[in-house]
């Protein structure tokens, strides 16, 4: 089955319900074990990446991630394009609820062209690697003025077998209330959709923005690999 067919087969109504509820939702299986293993093998090929970030050096946490260079691996480009038409209606609906503009066109290629015209021309799909004691501080992946409000992360190896800990965490800042955290373990080959910057929540005064940040809890043992799909490019 192609990447597009696999993504098309996701139960998108359930994903949208999770996003509306807590701003995060599992997709079910996206990649098989062979595809996950092939991506993990790419990690040590430095020529496939445009930059490598040591999190400790930048006080982002502990661990390492690498941004892919162009041309993207075929499966990464295919997945990015396959997710776009399913995430776009959610982004547009969220913008409408908050009376905000929705500048995102029908195709990913058109959107990336807009990013490049605005000076955001560096590719943002990435792979992340965590070992024992590694973690990722709460943050947002904002690389310029143009932002797509949803992202996808795919687990490339098996929690409880290849590693322990390393839950994906989002923290939502609620209006006039304490912040709320949600944590999920990403099964092997499954995707997780989450908010890039904020999401709409209903209040007594109508719809408001709930700012959100995401990170990863401490990996207790083993090594954790994930693929990150960001849908806006970087300056």
């Amino acid at each position: 089955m192609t990447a597009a067919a696999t993504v098309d087969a996701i139960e998108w109504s359930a994903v949208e319900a999770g996003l509306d509820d807590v701003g995060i939702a599992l997709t079910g299986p996206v990649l098989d074990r062979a595809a996950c293993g092939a991506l993990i093998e790419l990690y040590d090929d430095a020529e496939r990446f445009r930059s490598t970030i040591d999190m400790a050096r930048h006080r982002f946490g502990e661990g390492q991630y690498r941004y892919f260079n162009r041309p993207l691996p075929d499966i990464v480009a295919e997945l990015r394009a396959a997710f776009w038409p399913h995430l776009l209606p959610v982004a547009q609906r969220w913008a409408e609820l908050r009376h905000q503009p929705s500048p995102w066109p029908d195709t990913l290629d058109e959107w990336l062209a807009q990013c490049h015209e605005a000076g955001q021309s560096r590719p943002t799909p990435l792979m992340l690697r965590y070992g024992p004691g590694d973690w990722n501080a709460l943050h947002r992946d904002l690389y310029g003025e143009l932002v797509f409000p949803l992202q996808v992360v795919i687990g490339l190896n098996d929690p409880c077998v290849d590693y322990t800990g390393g839950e994906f965490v989002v923290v939502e800042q609620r209006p006039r209330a304490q912040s709320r955290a949600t944590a999920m373990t990403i099964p092997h080959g499954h995707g997780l959709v989450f908010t890039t910057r904020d999401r709409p929540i209903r209040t007594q005064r109508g719809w408001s923005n709930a700012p959100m940040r995401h990170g990863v809890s401490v990996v207790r043992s083993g090594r954790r690999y994930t693929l990150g799909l960001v849908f806006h490019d970087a300056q």
Side-chain angles (χ1 to χ4, degrees):
M1 185 180 291
T2 66
T6 301
V7 172
D8 288 346
I10 290 169
E11 189 177 345
W12 281 103
S13 60
V15 172
E16 290 191 32
L19 291 170
D20 287 341
D21 184 28
V22 292
I24 183 173
L26 288 168
T27 66
V30 174
L31 293 176
D32 61 23
R33 289 182 177 272
C36 290
L39 281 167
I40 289 174
E41 288 181 1
L42 289 180
Y43 195 87
D44 290 325
D45 184 357
E47 293 184 359
R48 302 304 299 264
F49 301 92
R50 66 171 175 84
S51 65
T52 299
I53 306 298
D54 184 317
M55 293 189 223
R57 178 182 177 187
H58 298 278
R59 303 185 70 181
F60 294 161
E62 300 280 346
Q64 186 183 85
Y65 56 90
R66 288 183 147 180
Y67 288 104
F68 281 106
N69 210 343
R70 290 194 180 90
L72 299 176
D74 288 345
I75 188 60
V76 176
E78 290 169 11
L79 285 169
R80 205 182 188 199
F83 272 102
W84 179 262
H86 298 282
L87 300 179
L88 179 61
V90 181
Q92 292 171 330
R93 178 168 59 84
W94 281 7
E96 183 178 359
L97 287 173
R98 295 177 284 184
H99 304 289
Q100 294 177 344
S102 56
W104 315 290
D106 289 340
T107 69
L108 177 62
D109 285 345
E110 290 176 286
W111 169 241
L112 293 178
Q114 290 184 25
C115 289
H116 299 172
E117 290 172 5
Q120 295 177 214
S121 59
R122 295 189 296 166
T124 49
L126 72 162
M127 286 184 62
L128 304 97
R129 184 180 71 185
Y130 300 84
D134 289 348
W135 56 282
N136 194 190
L138 295 172
H139 66 285
R140 295 166 171 169
D141 296 314
L142 308 177
Y143 303 113
E145 291 297 320
L146 299 183
V147 175
F148 189 70
L150 296 162
Q151 297 175 225
V152 178
V153 60
I154 299 172
L156 298 181
N157 55 353
D158 199 342
C160 299
V161 175
D162 298 314
Y163 66 93
T164 61
E167 296 84 3
F168 192 89
V169 180
V170 296
V171 174
E172 175 185 87
Q173 182 181 332
R174 298 182 297 162
R176 296 174 297 281
Q178 297 293 330
S179 297
R180 177 175 67 174
T182 302
M184 287 188 181
T185 297
I186 307 175
H188 193 177
H190 289 223
L192 184 147
V193 184
F194 63 100
T195 57
T196 301
R197 180 167 55 191
D198 51 36
R199 71 183 191 93
I201 61 170
R202 189 186 293 276
T203 68
Q204 293 180 347
R205 300 180 180 179
W207 290 93
S208 297
N209 293 331
M212 299 190 72
R213 299 178 185 273
H214 64 275
V216 174
S217 70
V218 175
V219 172
R220 296 188 291 276
S221 65
R223 183 161 281 185
R224 176 188 188 270
Y225 287 91
T226 55
L227 169 67
L229 302 176
V230 183
F231 295 90
H232 45 272
D233 280 350
Q235 290 180 338

